[in-house]
Amino acid sequence: MKQEFIIGMPLESDTEYFATESEYHVYAKDTVPVCDDRYVALRANDTKEFDVFVLIKDRKNITIDFRGATLVMHGKIQPFLIDASENITVKNCNVTYNRPPYTEALITEVTPEYAKLRLNEHCTCRVEDGKLVPYGDGWENNRLNYNYCFYQVFDAETRKGCGISLGVMGNHIYKEPEYPFHPKWRFTVEQDGEDILLRGKHPDYYQPNRVLNIAHEERSLSSVFSIDSKDLRLENYRILSGWGMGIYSYRTENITLDGFRLTYDEKSPCIIANAADAVHTFGTSGHFEIRNSVFEGMIDDALNVHSNFRTVKEGRGSDLYTHLASCEQQASDLYRVGDVIAVYRGKTLEEVARYTIRKIETVDATVKRFTVDRPVLAHSEGDLIENMTANCDVFIENCVFGKANSHLRLQSRGKFVIRNCETELPLLLSGDASFWFESGPVTDLLVADCRFVGEHAKVDIRSEVFPTAIAPYYHRNLKFLNNVFDVAEPVCGGYADGIVFRGNRNRAGAPMTLILTNCGSVDAEDCTVERRTEEKRELKRN
């Protein structure tokens, strides 16, 4: 059945909706207030209730064709929430906020004491107590003296990233929240006619004719949030300005992005398109396909594919008491009945046992009791637990990544295939056992026929999971075939096995060297392999 899309109308299964307007302005009165404990853990310190424009819950077989329309959000509004639904398609849609959830300003003058800023006309702020107070429809943020924000600089002409740092501003600065990193840069602001003076020491990449972006809002919203759903498809979906994550999938099976775009043109309010990750997939299973898409102007990761470690608290009979190790509360409910889990010795990949979860009970905010399929062994408190089920296969083809200070973060045991893409950003293979506790290792990666453009575009292999004589490697089976690099050291990192580097070349014809620390087998041609060793691993943040 086909039906016109009307604001506020509930969406029904087995229906194709179509837009008739070129622009839809969405206000709080047009939204559905949502309060669900399953969403709260994903929403940092926000209130339990929030406003959703398009809510698709417990539905099947819905297509919404916006026919190129732009959705303009007035206030803190979640554009799309897809919950426990199947076979949902959203296409031909542009999404923006009338006041972006970040503040941009052109740097017009720089001295050792200050940087003079000309605020973007879309980024309304007032000056109060030595800080900016951003505000929009129904919201303001008076806590830039609390919030340690990303302060990022971009070239005004090329829009390429020039640098990233953490900063805080105000006459009275408070420390909140606790992170494993601390802001080096502390500022005060004052009005100077139509301009703003950002006073204080600043990084050397603060230069005239560059754009400063301050990402000051919580990542509590996303452009599309899917949870406990299956077969989600976005076609020709563009984010002009986005709050929080662009696409945020949680416990979702099978996602396709075709023609997904974050980029800049005359329609863009700012050179930045999104306030955090462009795509953040969390415990996704099945396949995640990204084709014919452009990722530019995101404040954080262009892509983050991951699950999460928990840790052992204690075992009793067939009950395994597990602790939420991550500081991120959304990791709490990632494990489900029927999932297969592996337990490792300490913060290593020395596997001790595997179990299937039969029952899950909440003990308190951080502890859950997993009843498993057999008596648990004598595990030690702090041993890592990995969800072996919540991993997806990722296929990326004909995509462009750039105009950012970030990277593509790959953390899944599923298959990765990246073909015919162009990136100015590094591929980061990481693993975290210190703070975020994001997992897991990359065990099957193919990067083929791609173009790595510029000085930052390379492959960076890292891990915070400790190597041992029994399990010396974290990532493995990494193939790089027929790619073109601008850098002379295209692959750097360590504690990986099964690296294949063949058919690749440097664009300028310069010799290439792989810098590999404590790595296993390497099959490389037309390059030098420089092997390094280190005797002691220090736990460091990615």
Side-chain angles (χ1 to χ4, degrees), residues 205-226:
Y205 49 78
Y206 281 43
Q207 297 179 16
N209 201 35
R210 289 182 173 178
V211 172
L212 173 65
N213 181 284
I214 306 172
H216 42 65
E217 296 309 301
E218 284 188 355
R219 302 180 175 200
S220 54
L221 301 181
S222 54
S223 193
V224 177
F225 173 35
S226 68

Side-chain angles (χ1 to χ4, degrees), residues 175-357:
K175 187 176 181 181
E176 179 188 294
E178 290 287 345
Y179 283 132
F181 33 74
H182 303 284
K184 178 179 180 180
W185 309 103
R186 295 171 178 253
F187 305 110
T188 59
V189 298
E190 63 185 60
Q191 198 79 44
D192 183 35
E194 294 183 351
D195 295 332
I196 298 293
L197 294 184
L198 184 71
R199 291 196 173 276
K201 293 182 179 179
H202 44 72
D204 57 9
Y205 49 78
Y206 281 43
Q207 297 179 16
N209 201 35
R210 289 182 173 178
V211 172
L212 173 65
N213 181 284
I214 306 172
H216 42 65
E217 296 309 301
E218 284 188 355
R219 302 180 175 200
S220 54
L221 301 181
S222 54
S223 193
V224 177
F225 173 35
S226 68
I227 180 171
D228 295 332
S229 294
K230 182 178 180 181
D231 299 332
L232 169 64
R233 184 176 182 87
L234 302 180
E235 297 179 12
N236 299 320
Y237 187 100
R238 182 179 180 188
I239 299 175
L240 289 163
S241 66
W243 204 300
M245 306 296 181
I247 309 303
Y248 192 0
S249 66
Y250 185 76
R251 299 191 312 235
T252 296
E253 180 180 358
N254 302 335
I255 301 172
T256 300
L257 308 182
D258 194 344
F260 176 66
R261 287 183 300 149
L262 290 86
T263 190
Y264 175 83
D265 61 20
E266 68 281 356
K267 296 180 181 179
S268 305
C270 300
I271 69 169
I272 289 302
N274 203 69
D277 298 4
V279 172
H280 191 113
T281 173
F282 198 149
T284 292
S285 59
H287 64 78
F288 198 125
E289 299 183 19
I290 307 174
R291 306 184 189 281
N292 311 312
S293 298
V294 179
F295 295 74
E296 295 178 342
M298 47 268 149
I299 288 296
D300 209 339
D301 301 339
L303 173 66
N304 189 348
V305 181
H306 72 95
S307 183
N308 260 86
F309 293 117
R310 291 183 73 88
T311 58
V312 171
K313 185 173 179 61
E314 63 175 322
R316 302 177 193 169
S318 295
D319 290 334
L320 186 64
Y321 288 78
T322 71
H323 184 259
L324 173 64
S326 172
C327 73
E328 294 284 281
Q329 192 66 29
Q330 71 261 41
S332 180
D333 295 322
L334 182 62
Y335 292 67
R336 315 302 300 276
V337 171
D339 288 352
V340 175
I341 59 174
V343 181
Y344 304 105
R345 185 181 67 80
K347 293 180 177 180
T348 77
L349 278 192
E350 286 189 16
E351 186 173 324
V352 178
R354 288 198 184 195
Y355 308 102
T356 299
I357 301 174

Side-chain angles (χ1 to χ4, degrees), residues 131-202:
K131 63 179 181 291
L132 292 176
V133 180
Y135 63 88
D137 286 353
W139 68 271
E140 69 173 39
N141 187 344
N142 199 18
R143 296 177 65 82
L144 267 65
N145 56 330
Y146 285 85
N147 297 341
Y148 295 170
C149 305
F150 278 141
Y151 285 63
Q152 299 199 33
V153 173
F154 301 83
D155 185 276
E157 300 297 328
T158 67
R159 296 181 285 114
K160 292 184 179 181
C162 302
I164 177 174
S165 59
L166 279 176
V168 62
M169 67 166 64
N171 292 333
H172 304 91
I173 291 175
Y174 301 90
K175 187 176 181 181
E176 179 188 294
E178 290 287 345
Y179 283 132
F181 33 74
H182 303 284
K184 178 179 180 180
W185 309 103
R186 295 171 178 253
F187 305 110
T188 59
V189 298
E190 63 185 60
Q191 198 79 44
D192 183 35
E194 294 183 351
D195 295 332
I196 298 293
L197 294 184
L198 184 71
R199 291 196 173 276
K201 293 182 179 179
H202 44 72

Side-chain angles (χ1 to χ4, degrees), residues 442-443 445 461 472-480 491 493-502 514-525 527 529-532:
V442 174
T443 61
L445 169 67
I461 306 172
Y473 310 117
Y474 188 67
H475 304 292
R476 60 182 66 243
N477 301 325
L478 315 175
K479 301 181 182 66
F480 308 96
V491 179
Y495 302 93
D497 186 34
I499 298 173
V500 177
F501 189 85
R502 303 185 68 84
L514 312 186
I515 308 296
L516 304 175
T517 301
N518 291 49
C519 283
S521 67
V522 179
D523 177 7
E525 67 176 9
C527 66
V529 178
E530 181 179 322
R531 289 183 176 268
R532 298 177 179 177

